[in-house]
Amino acid sequence: MKVMKFGGTSVGSPARIKSVAELITAPCSQRNLVVLSAMSGTTNTLVEISDYLHKGNREGAKETIGRLKSLYAGHIAALYESEKYKKEAEQYINGCFSLISNITKQLFTSVEEKIILAQGELISTHMMYYYLLEKGVKAVLLPALDFMRTDANGEPDSDAIKARLLPLIEAEADAELFITQGFICRNFHNEVDNLLRGGSDYTASLVGAAVQASEIQIWTDIDGMHNNDPRVVEGTSPVRHLNFDEAAELGYFGAKILHPTCILPAKYANIPVRLLNTMEPDAPGTTIDNNLDPGTIKAVAAKDNITAIKIKSSRMLLAHGFLRKVFEIFESYHTSIDMICTSEVGVSMSIDNTKHLSEIVTDLKKYGTVTVDTDMCIVCVVGDMDWENLGFESRAMDALKDIPVRMVSYGGSNYNISFLVKSSDKRRTLCALSRFLFADTGRS
Ligand code: ASP
Ligand code: MG
């Protein structure tokens, strides 16, 4: 069994739903399980409705509900040919909107909010389900609220998920295809809950692990992963394979890779995750698994709007507890540190959230001289860079010989070397790294 997850934009219109239906019903030797997000924009609108209700603005909520409801009326009209399935879908969706409208009349707490947020995936999966039935496909809808569970700590409960899901699948001997909702679940108190924004990827990974899928496919409509940023560097090539750890390193650098937490269940269950593009369904995509391509550098990625903070103090020499004091300051302002480099008498850190920069700097001044550099950019090189492999650091450093480098970080993991440069040098840096690291593919 393969698990195939489609994101919001992949099911973002009736036309897109039809092309996903074609993809998931292509002839295939196994029964697959399809995980769907809400249609794009829907979760945001449901959040907006909840915000109105939190603020006690029922009128605002009602107006937004009305708009969403008429949007879906249009979708239904465009999606189905037969009156029978048009009616079925309409009935289901009207039920969801009545539920939401009834909630506007009650006391509004986070329990009701989660029920509202769940409607997006409930609706998209039912729309697909009825569409498949109309096409004569023996599809079965598996209600995620019947098997997706989180535990007392709010973490997915893999054992419970498996124990509930497998019998549901076994009971459907005639099914050709299974559909389920991403994102939504029930919590420890049996209330409707969710796996937080973007949680459909998490569902796919958890469900894939539960059914011991042969593969977990994550379909989006964005162009696949490249070994460098194609907007900046010419002649990039697609990345066909990444190790789970390499993928985790890239998680910080944009949306093309799944959040490392989401793919953890797949990693532990040793199930390959494949990133595929609905616009190019025949392209091989990027496979992420536990295999490593020895000595291979996979990708270069960059993140802008980084601020570097340096604190220098001769008191740091041979002192213990100095770093703790520094880190506590960042922690107290809920600011996470991304890159860090230390010398004997100083430490440099990078942050991307500057909301509390001035407070942090004020507090740090208690311990040393503080310098701030803004408009910086982290450039990271990802691949098999075990410290005993020779030569990759010098190739990367060679590439940067004409570029001022503010920080270098290596040794945090076996898969990453990062450089902090000025944003204005980002382009040069990415191009130079492509030239030196992917000489046969990435010349620009
Ligand atoms: N619909 C949810 C969201 O937009 C879950 C998902 O798409 O992964 O975050
Ligand atoms: Mg999404």
Side-chain angles (χ1 to χ4, degrees):
M1 178 178 266
K2 282 183 193 158
V3 170
M4 307 170 85
K5 180 258 168 177
F6 293 85
T9 41
S10 302
V11 291
S13 67
R16 306 301 301 277
I17 292 179
K18 289 179 189 178
S19 31
V20 169
E22 216 163 286
L23 250 164
I24 59 182
T25 53
C28 160
S29 56
Q30 45 192 334
R31 305 196 299 168
N32 293 332
L33 198 162
V34 176
V35 176
L36 299 182
S37 290
M39 292 177 80
S40 56
T42 298
T43 305
N44 285 344
T45 308
L46 296 171
V47 169
E48 200 184 323
I49 294 167
S50 305
D51 282 346
Y52 278 124
L53 293 173
H54 272 306
K55 295 191 172 87
N57 180 352
R58 290 183 187 176
E59 279 314 304
K62 275 187 200 152
E63 211 182 298
T64 316
I65 295 167
R67 256 187 288 127
L68 191 63
K69 193 174 169 186
S70 48
L71 186 70
Y72 274 95
H75 291 334
I76 293 173
L79 188 58
Y80 303 97
E81 275 164 22
S82 67
E83 281 311 311
K84 174 172 173 352
Y85 288 107
K86 208 169 268 183
K87 267 233 163 62
E88 297 257 20
E90 209 167 61
Q91 241 170 36
Y92 182 79
I93 295 175
N94 286 346
C96 294
F97 281 103
S98 317
L99 178 76
I100 301 175
S101 297
N102 283 335
I103 286 176
T104 63
K105 297 173 194 144
Q106 308 167 9
L107 179 72
F108 192 69
T109 70
S110 70
V111 174
E112 285 75 29
E113 174 174 9
K114 284 167 180 162
I115 295 174
I116 290 185
L117 294 188
Q119 303 308 311
E121 272 73 11
L122 288 168
I123 292 175
S124 66
T125 47
H126 279 81
M127 283 171 68
M128 177 65 85
Y129 173 61
Y130 291 128
Y131 182 72
L132 292 171
L133 294 187
E134 187 180 69
K135 296 283 154 222
V137 179
K138 287 186 193 143
V140 166
L141 191 58
L142 300 171
L145 297 180
D146 289 353
F147 63 88
M148 288 302 292
R149 278 288 184 286
T150 51
D151 63 17
N153 301 315
E155 295 295 331
D157 184 341
S158 313
D159 292 337
I161 293 171
K162 190 171 174 174
R164 286 159 196 262
L165 176 58
L166 297 187
L168 294 178
I169 292 176
E170 268 157 35
E172 300 290 347
D174 292 339
E176 293 170 342
L177 186 67
F178 296 97
I179 313 274
T180 195
Q181 296 85 22
F183 177 60
I184 64 174
C185 62
R186 281 189 190 274
N187 61 25
F188 192 61
H189 308 289
N190 211 30
E191 297 154 349
V192 174
D193 207 328
N194 61 62
L195 302 172
L196 304 180
R197 294 308 301 267
S200 297
D201 295 332
Y202 208 179
T203 302
S205 175
L206 290 159
V207 163
V211 303
Q212 276 297 315
S214 56
E215 179 173 278
I216 297 163
Q217 302 184 339
I218 306 289
W219 290 83
T220 62
D221 65 345
I222 47 176
D223 195 20
M225 247 218 93
H226 286 248
N227 64 358
N228 205 327
D229 187 340
R231 292 166 305 183
V232 179
V233 180
E234 275 173 41
T236 60
S237 13
V239 177
R240 297 282 177 236
H241 176 242
L242 286 172
N243 174 281
F244 280 116
D245 296 310
E246 292 170 333
E249 294 288 355
L250 288 165
Y252 180 65
F253 293 87
K256 288 190 182 176
I257 285 285
L258 313 182
H259 193 285
T261 317
C262 295
I263 44 178
L264 223 47
K267 176 183 162 158
Y268 291 143
N270 202 14
I271 296 170
V273 175
R274 201 133 72 95
L275 309 179
L276 292 156
N277 182 353
T278 30
M279 300 305 197
E280 256 186 299
D282 297 324
T286 305
T287 303
I288 308 170
D289 60 24
N290 279 316
N291 303 324
L292 190 63
D293 300 314
T296 309
I297 293 184
K298 291 300 177 56
V300 174
K303 187 161 169 114
D304 285 308
N305 295 319
I306 303 293
T307 299
I309 303 168
K310 178 165 69 190
I311 167 160
K312 205 173 125 268
S313 165
S314 40
R315 281 195 292 167
M316 184 178 160
L317 183 67
L318 300 176
H320 47 76
F322 184 82
L323 285 177
R324 181 177 54 78
K325 287 182 199 146
V326 168
F327 290 163
E328 268 172 5
I329 292 171
F330 286 84
E331 189 187 348
S332 67
Y333 293 105
H334 302 285
T335 301
S336 70
I337 298 169
D338 300 314
M339 249 178 108
I340 168 158
C341 291
T342 76
S343 81
E344 294 305 332
V345 293
V347 45
S348 272
M349 289 147 295
S350 82
I351 59 172
D352 59 13
N353 168 6
T354 51
K355 197 167 156 208
H356 298 291
L357 180 63
S358 61
E359 294 101 312
I360 290 171
V361 169
T362 307
D363 287 7
L364 285 174
K365 281 182 176 162
K366 278 186 234 150
Y367 301 113
T369 316
V370 181
T371 327
V372 174
D373 294 294
T374 55
D375 297 321
M376 307 296 286
C377 161
I378 297 182
V379 174
C380 100
V381 178
V382 167
D384 173 28
M385 288 186 279
D386 187 281
W387 65 278
E388 295 199 274
N389 294 352
L390 295 176
F392 60 86
E393 310 97 320
S394 60
R395 268 156 70 211
M397 295 301 257
D398 249 9
L400 306 187
K401 62 180 182 295
D402 299 320
I403 297 167
V405 176
R406 168 72 181 75
M407 286 165 74
V408 180
S409 178
Y410 169 69
S413 83
N414 283 346
Y415 308 96
N416 167 300
I417 178 165
S418 293
F419 303 96
L420 191 72
V421 298
K422 288 183 206 148
S423 280
S424 54
D425 284 330
K426 171 174 147 179
R427 192 189 161 77
R428 298 207 279 154
T429 308
L430 292 181
C431 291
L433 284 168
S434 256
R435 243 179 357 255
F436 278 70
L437 299 176
F438 312 123
D440 47 343
T441 53
R443 284 201 181 276
S444 60

